[in-house]
Amino acid sequence: MRSKKTFFNLLRWEFEEHYSLPILVFLISSAIILVLAQSNLNIHPERNFINLYNKSGSIFFILTIIGSAFFSRTFAGSIEKGKLKLLLSYPIKRWQLFFSKFSAMFIPLFIIYGTAFSINIYLDHLRPLEPLFFLSLFAFLLHLMVVSSVSISLSMVIKNEILSMMASILLIIGIENLFSIPNFFSTEGRLTYQFQYFGELSHNIKPFGDDFIVTSGDVIVTFLIPILIFSSLFVLSFIYFKRFMEID
């Protein structure tokens, strides 16, 4: 019980530190403006779901920048500024600190940008339970998982907030832009496979033409890649943080 209470106290402390009123207002307003500023490229009622795909690229880009900044700040920033050393001087377990930092960054960011993206259901006159909308949300979740794991792992190594943030952004955006779409190595490229496959299943329409053939195996790969990246980097970062990292 005490361990659980300590974890939630750490979670609350992290949230209060990193989501003060100006920052929280900025995140919410930027997410809403990002959605409202994008034009609807397809106005055919039967194909309006394709707008979700067209608008996802900017969300991926912003999540990369915001996610890298926040995760680098809470991990590398706390190491650099000595906050982590101060916290560990109290009877706090390292796993509690690690997961409270991760949860305090991950959950609010996904909720804010996922909720703002849901405005598109109204803007594009989509069904409330549009399958491609939930597919897009899951793609945002997977992308944020990748961003968080990359940022955390680089923070463990670099231990400098600004350098960790810049390295995370450049690495992720560089990989995203290195390969042409569709491909398995970028978030937008993987979403192209997913929209083609599930668009045909749910609407009997192939969004990107009949010549682009996507199998169920291709779709499974698009889901497995980000999950494997997140799992490997997150576990390695956690083990290093818990057992090996020295706090100066």
Side-chain angles (χ1 to χ4, degrees):
M1 181 65 70
R2 180 179 298 178
S3 178
K4 184 177 181 180
K5 183 178 180 180
T6 301
F7 174 79
F8 283 107
N9 285 335
L10 286 170
L11 191 64
R12 178 174 56 82
W13 184 82
E14 288 286 340
F15 186 86
E16 291 175 351
E17 181 183 11
H18 296 288
Y19 293 98
S20 58
L21 189 59
I23 297 177
L24 186 60
V25 170
F26 166 76
L27 286 175
I28 295 174
S29 59
S30 65
I32 294 174
I33 292 172
L34 179 66
V35 172
L36 295 179
Q38 299 181 81
S39 59
N40 294 330
L41 303 178
N42 195 309
I43 58 175
H44 195 287
E46 295 181 357
R47 302 177 65 90
N48 270 359
F49 68 90
I50 301 177
N51 286 326
L52 297 173
Y53 172 85
N54 295 329
K55 297 175 181 179
S56 63
S58 57
I59 301 289
F60 292 142
F61 180 76
I62 294 299
L63 276 179
T64 299
I65 296 176
I66 298 295
S68 297
F70 272 72
F71 282 101
S72 297
R73 182 186 181 192
T74 191
F75 281 93
S78 63
I79 297 173
E80 180 184 11
K81 297 171 184 176
K83 294 181 181 179
L84 194 62
K85 182 178 181 180
L86 177 62
L87 286 172
L88 290 176
S89 65
Y90 295 97
I92 296 173
K93 296 180 180 179
R94 289 199 178 198
W95 72 263
Q96 295 173 325
L97 192 55
F98 184 90
F99 281 101
S100 65
K101 285 180 171 294
F102 171 78
S103 302
M105 298 299 104
F106 190 94
I107 296 174
L109 288 178
F110 178 71
I111 290 176
I112 289 171
Y113 284 94
T115 302
F117 188 75
S118 66
I119 299 174
N120 286 310
I121 293 179
Y122 170 77
L123 296 177
D124 294 327
H125 307 287
L126 299 172
R127 296 174 293 173
L129 298 179
E130 169 59 49
L132 279 303
F133 167 74
F134 293 100
L135 175 66
S136 301
L137 281 185
F138 190 60
F140 298 153
L141 177 68
L142 293 177
H143 183 66
L144 189 57
M145 288 167 59
V146 172
V147 172
S148 66
S149 61
V150 171
S151 299
I152 293 171
S153 59
L154 288 175
S155 295
M156 298 293 101
V157 176
I158 299 175
K159 300 180 181 179
N160 179 281
E161 179 180 346
I162 301 299
L163 292 179
S164 298
M165 179 183 67
M166 295 303 299
S168 301
I169 294 173
L170 292 176
L171 177 61
I172 296 171
I173 292 181
I175 293 176
E176 290 285 324
N177 294 324
L178 184 61
F179 303 96
S180 59
I181 295 175
N183 64 81
F184 294 123
F185 303 104
S186 70
T187 302
E188 194 168 357
R190 292 189 292 269
L191 188 62
T192 305
Y193 281 92
Q194 294 162 6
F195 256 73
Q196 180 75 345
Y197 185 81
F198 289 106
E200 184 179 11
L201 285 181
S202 59
H203 295 273
N204 200 28
I205 296 173
K206 291 184 177 180
F208 308 108
D210 295 334
D211 294 334
F212 180 31
I213 307 299
V214 178
T215 66
S216 58
D218 295 330
V219 175
I220 292 174
V221 171
T222 62
F223 289 127
L224 284 179
I225 288 177
I227 291 174
L228 289 174
I229 292 173
F230 170 77
S231 300
S232 57
L233 291 179
F234 187 82
V235 170
L236 287 174
S237 298
F238 174 69
I239 293 174
Y240 177 73
F241 183 88
K242 187 174 184 293
R243 296 186 177 276
F244 301 106
M245 189 175 73
E246 297 181 1
I247 308 298
D248 300 325

